[in-house]
Amino acid sequence: KQWYQRRVRGGVECTSLFPAASRALVTYNESSSSDGLSEHTTLLYDPISLHIATCSDAVSLLKHMLEKMYGVQLSEELSEVDEILKMWSSVLSSGSIKRVILRTKLIDKILYETLTTTTIKQVVILGAGMDTRVFRLLGIPMDTTIFALDLPAVFTFKQAALKRLTPRTICNHACISADLSKESWSQRLCEFEEGDKKFDPLKPTIWILEGLVMYLTETETSNLLHSISNLSSMGSKLLLHTVGTDEIQAIDESGCENDLKARMKFGTDFPEEFIKERGFSENVQSWGYKQLI
């Protein structure tokens, strides 16, 4: 237990908890408009994230974050859901929560519509973190297979968080440990086989990269996209979340890098061109958060 808590506390893995906590806050406070969130967060119900964000391991990490960010030491045990979520709301800004919810709903919509109106049957989520779509996107075909790839510490944490809950998946699901900054991830995906769960590069795929590439270098991101292109047959789709260079500069200039927050390494102000130059078609559409409000 201690080793993966240290790993999750140490940087990029820690950020995988932030989207889950954002979804948890919205799920818990859906009916309230006092925090200014509900206007853009309706129709997102994620009790699995609520469980993840309030489990004992998450609380331990939350206390660690509060101590490092604000010098606050909590000696008492946090056990009530509203107390834990109040602490999460002090770590996450309302703006960051809105951004998480807006992009979550957009990806949910595209994923659901694609899986229910086309013949695509396999999804690969790179940098899956605490993603819960395999538990909550009701209505997608049961013969769909979702492959989730991330660092071993992330999956260990998630499995421990869900151990007592044992949620039921809505389709086939496989977790594959891999370092996405290394080119070996594609080999791990292609070699994975568990019953009838096996990735087939000859079949079209939906690729989801949410909250990932900003923590890779530009070279690592380029290598990742080239590998995805090589593994994608005609009809595949790529859902890619990027940040602009101004966001990277703001973090660099703020001096807020510490053992709780990984420094973002890559941003682009021209995501369409960046994607096209790395093996993808001209059919590229982009959305900014202002367009989603």
Side-chain angles (χ1 to χ4, degrees):
K1 180 176 180 178
Q2 290 182 345
W3 77 265
Y4 73 76
Q5 282 199 352
R6 286 197 298 271
R7 285 290 294 167
V8 174
R9 286 179 181 179
V12 173
E13 296 96 330
C14 181
T15 65
S16 68
L17 285 171
F18 297 165
S22 298
R23 298 191 302 267
L25 283 164
V26 168
T27 298
Y28 192 73
N29 298 314
E30 187 83 65
S31 61
S32 173
S33 60
S34 60
D35 57 4
L37 293 176
S38 61
E39 179 183 357
H40 307 304
T41 58
T42 55
L43 303 180
L44 181 70
Y45 180 64
D46 190 354
I48 306 298
S49 284
L50 184 60
H51 186 85
I52 292 172
T54 58
C55 72
S56 60
D57 286 340
V59 171
S60 175
L61 296 176
L62 179 56
K63 288 182 177 180
H64 179 71
M65 281 185 267
L66 289 169
E67 180 180 351
K68 290 294 183 179
M69 293 176 71
Y70 305 116
V72 175
Q73 289 186 322
L74 299 177
S75 56
E76 71 274 13
E77 289 296 322
L78 292 176
S79 57
E80 298 297 326
V81 170
D82 56 347
E83 292 178 344
I84 298 170
L85 293 179
K86 184 177 180 180
M87 293 299 98
W88 272 118
S89 65
S90 69
V91 173
L92 303 169
S93 69
S94 60
S96 67
I97 295 171
K98 287 180 182 179
R99 289 192 292 272
V100 167
I101 302 309
L102 287 170
R103 72 171 187 251
T104 296
K105 291 173 63 177
L106 175 64
I107 294 172
D108 285 355
K109 179 177 182 292
I110 295 173
L111 182 61
Y112 179 84
E113 289 179 352
T114 302
L115 291 175
T116 55
T117 61
T118 72
T119 59
I120 297 180
K121 298 297 182 184
Q122 59 184 13
V123 180
V124 179
I125 305 177
L126 300 180
M130 303 296 142
D131 188 273
T132 59
R133 291 183 173 93
V134 72
F135 304 116
R136 63 178 177 78
L137 277 190
L138 302 178
I140 66 173
M142 295 178 62
D143 57 348
T144 302
T145 300
I146 297 179
F147 300 93
L149 281 75
D150 212 319
L151 295 165
V154 173
F155 286 133
T156 303
F157 184 96
K158 187 176 182 180
Q159 289 166 2
L162 299 179
K163 186 175 181 180
R164 294 184 179 179
L165 190 62
T166 59
R168 186 174 182 178
T169 60
I170 56 179
C171 64
N172 296 323
H173 182 233
C175 294
I176 304 171
S177 296
D179 185 345
L180 298 168
S181 67
K182 312 295 183 184
E183 294 186 35
S184 59
W185 72 267
S186 58
Q187 181 179 354
R188 295 186 67 85
L189 172 61
C190 292
E191 290 179 348
F192 177 86
E193 186 170 3
E194 185 180 280
D196 58 353
K197 292 180 284 189
K198 181 173 176 59
F199 176 76
D200 187 350
L202 299 179
K203 295 180 179 180
T205 304
I206 303 174
W207 301 87
I208 299 176
L209 284 69
E210 180 186 6
L212 170 63
V213 299
M214 59 285 299
Y215 299 115
L216 303 176
T217 65
E218 182 172 348
T219 298
E220 290 167 345
T221 301
S222 293
N223 292 338
L224 185 71
L225 292 179
H226 280 303
S227 295
I228 292 173
S229 179
N230 292 334
L231 292 173
S232 299
S233 67
M234 291 293 293
S236 295
K237 288 188 176 184
L238 171 68
L239 304 180
L240 175 65
H241 166 217
T242 63
V243 298
T245 56
D246 56 337
E247 295 179 68
I248 305 298
Q249 292 170 356
I251 291 176
D252 288 343
E253 294 168 2
S254 70
C256 67
E257 182 187 15
N258 52 44
D259 66 331
L260 297 175
K261 189 171 185 179
R263 182 188 291 269
M264 291 184 180
K265 301 176 182 178
F266 170 68
T268 175
D269 298 320
F270 306 99
E272 298 95 335
E273 288 77 3
F274 187 83
I275 292 173
K276 292 175 184 177
E277 291 169 358
R278 284 152 183 85
F280 293 87
S281 74
E282 296 294 314
N283 185 18
V284 177
Q285 185 175 1
S286 64
W287 294 268
Y289 287 115
K290 292 182 179 179
Q291 296 171 270
L292 300 178
I293 294 176

